Amino acid sequence: MSGAADEPILQTGHLLGIDALSVPEIESLLTLAERYVALNRAPEKKQNVLRGRTLINLFFESSTRTQSSFELAGKRLGADVLNMAVKNSSVSKGETLIDTATTLNAMRPDILVVRHQDSGAAELLSRKVDCCVVNAGDGAHEHPTQALLDALTIKRRRGSFEGLLVAICGDIAHSRVARSNIHLLSKMGARVRLIAPRTLLPADADRLGVEISTDMRKGLEGVDIVMMLRLQLERMGGAFIPSAREYFHFYGLDREKLNCAKPGALVMHPGPMNRGVEIDSDIADDVEVSLIREQVEMGLAIRMAVLDALARGLPREGRNAA
Ligand code: ASP
């Protein structure tokens, strides 16, 4: 298995977004992740890539999949992992993001994984700390490891991205998953079609270089992969949809709408799902079409690959010396 002595992969020493990644960087991460898929399926899963290193998970927004997979990824690679529960930290007493980061920085971590409700938070932190920063979701901006795990899932099923038509459906305006996926899929040669009511399309949708449809049935025609998104109620300042029931009627993925896509089309969702709002349980739980569980498995492998890639750029000695 690869070690810190292997070829560097990430040029910047951080993973802040897909926008800044080159195609070779993405391809190398996907290739490295394949090795971790195999490792995770083996009985002995422990590696030394991060032995002696410290990883801090700093999550200002709740998370199930992302936080637990970064924790497990760090542990499987041999790191000491600290999960900062923001609710129990000084943040709840009014400490700012920068104060918290500076405090954690003084403990000399090697990698800081951060999720924050504000777009740009991870980038800001990366300028204030001495360690590698991984963006685990910043507001409605980017969620790079989600797009990478989605790409790994698609690549394993379809072989390549060239010529694939991927529909990203639902609450695109508030979704960092959509933004990161648009960047990644476009870079890798896939066609992207956004399907959403006008109110849930981002203001700059026309400038994203993607196809746009406001009609779910028509929009799904010819689609190979249907990527559903959660309605991000926590990021909605007002009413963007008349009611959840009406939303499901027009935009919720059920068998009848899925039949409008290409025969054999596959369905994805980053989770957590609102069953009966953006996706019918009948589809979500159908292992013939749903890749949702596979996405979770690929999430762990991708996070291990990202941590491994960052470890290669860590100083062997000196940077953390007092
Ligand atoms: N888990 C993803 C995120 O953090 C998707 C979602 O919450 O809907 O953005």
Side-chain angles (χ1 to χ4, degrees):
M1 183 60 62
S2 55
D6 288 26
E7 286 291 293
I9 291 181
L10 290 167
Q11 299 310 316
T12 63
H14 303 289
L15 178 64
L16 301 176
I18 299 294
D19 196 17
L21 290 187
S22 64
V23 170
E25 283 175 311
I26 295 170
E27 278 171 349
S28 301
L29 286 171
L30 297 181
T31 304
L32 183 55
E34 283 289 359
R35 292 151 74 179
Y36 284 115
V37 175
L39 178 82
N40 289 333
R41 289 179 180 180
E44 172 58 53
K45 302 172 173 64
K46 200 89 172 169
Q47 293 287 305
N48 286 331
V49 173
L50 288 177
R51 199 176 57 179
R53 305 293 189 179
T54 303
L55 173 106
I56 299 185
N57 268 330
L58 179 61
F59 277 61
F60 291 83
E61 277 188 344
S62 56
S63 166
T64 309
R65 280 151 287 267
T66 307
Q67 183 169 342
S68 56
S69 61
F70 268 114
E71 179 178 357
L72 205 49
K75 286 180 172 166
R76 286 203 178 156
L77 296 179
D80 291 320
V81 181
L82 173 71
N83 288 312
M84 282 287 300
V86 171
K87 271 201 199 98
N88 304 328
S89 77
S90 294
V91 174
S92 60
K93 299 178 190 161
E95 189 172 86
T96 67
L97 171 65
I98 300 299
D99 286 338
T100 307
T102 313
T103 304
L104 293 177
N105 194 45
M107 297 178 200
R108 300 177 187 272
D110 298 284
I111 302 178
L112 190 58
V113 178
V114 61
R115 167 170 289 189
H116 196 275
Q117 59 279 7
D118 293 340
S119 300
E123 208 264 331
L124 178 67
L125 274 192
S126 71
R127 287 191 264 122
K128 304 282 175 192
V129 297
D130 302 315
C131 60
C132 303
V133 174
V134 181
N135 181 4
D138 61 329
H141 178 227
E142 280 238 35
H143 191 350
T145 56
Q146 179 70 48
L148 287 163
L149 78 85
D150 289 341
L152 182 61
T153 310
I154 294 172
K155 190 171 167 231
R156 287 170 62 86
R157 287 299 187 119
R158 290 290 148 100
S160 117
F161 301 93
E162 213 57 54
L164 271 189
L165 178 54
V166 181
I168 304 180
C169 315
D171 186 1
I172 295 150
H174 302 99
S175 174
R176 52 199 177 205
V177 175
R179 213 160 265 279
S180 289
N181 265 305
I182 292 169
H183 288 312
L184 192 149
L185 292 165
S186 309
K187 279 177 200 260
M188 301 306 282
R191 269 167 70 199
V192 177
R193 185 177 293 160
L194 307 183
I195 308 177
R198 278 262 155 236
T199 48
L200 293 179
L201 281 169
D204 62 350
D206 295 332
R207 277 175 276 131
L208 294 173
V210 294
E211 301 168 27
I212 295 172
S213 173
T214 53
D215 182 306
M216 187 78 170
R217 289 175 183 81
K218 279 198 201 128
L220 285 177
E221 281 169 21
V223 164
D224 297 283
I225 306 280
V226 187
M227 206 178 264
M228 299 306 300
L229 298 172
R230 182 176 67 88
L231 273 182
Q232 311 257 310
L233 297 170
E234 73 277 24
R235 280 186 238 292
M236 293 186 187
F240 283 77
I241 54 160
S243 71
R245 208 161 140 228
E246 190 166 330
Y247 181 78
F248 182 74
H249 178 70
F250 287 107
Y251 293 96
L253 188 67
D254 55 13
R255 190 71 58 181
E256 183 262 318
K257 293 193 198 76
L258 182 60
N259 285 340
C260 301
K262 220 185 224 175
L266 296 168
V267 175
M268 302 175 77
H269 192 302
M273 283 183 276
N274 292 309
R275 289 170 181 265
V277 178
E278 69 261 356
I279 190 164
D280 197 350
S281 285
D282 174 42
I283 300 292
D285 300 331
D286 178 352
V287 292
E288 294 299 314
V289 297
S290 169
L291 301 181
I292 296 169
R293 274 193 229 157
E294 211 165 305
Q295 286 173 272
V296 178
E297 183 185 0
M298 296 309 125
L300 179 54
I302 275 294
R303 285 161 187 138
M304 291 170 86
V306 166
L307 297 180
D308 179 342
L310 290 171
R312 296 169 188 214
L314 285 172
R316 308 263 81 211
E317 56 190 47
R319 187 173 75 170
N320 280 350

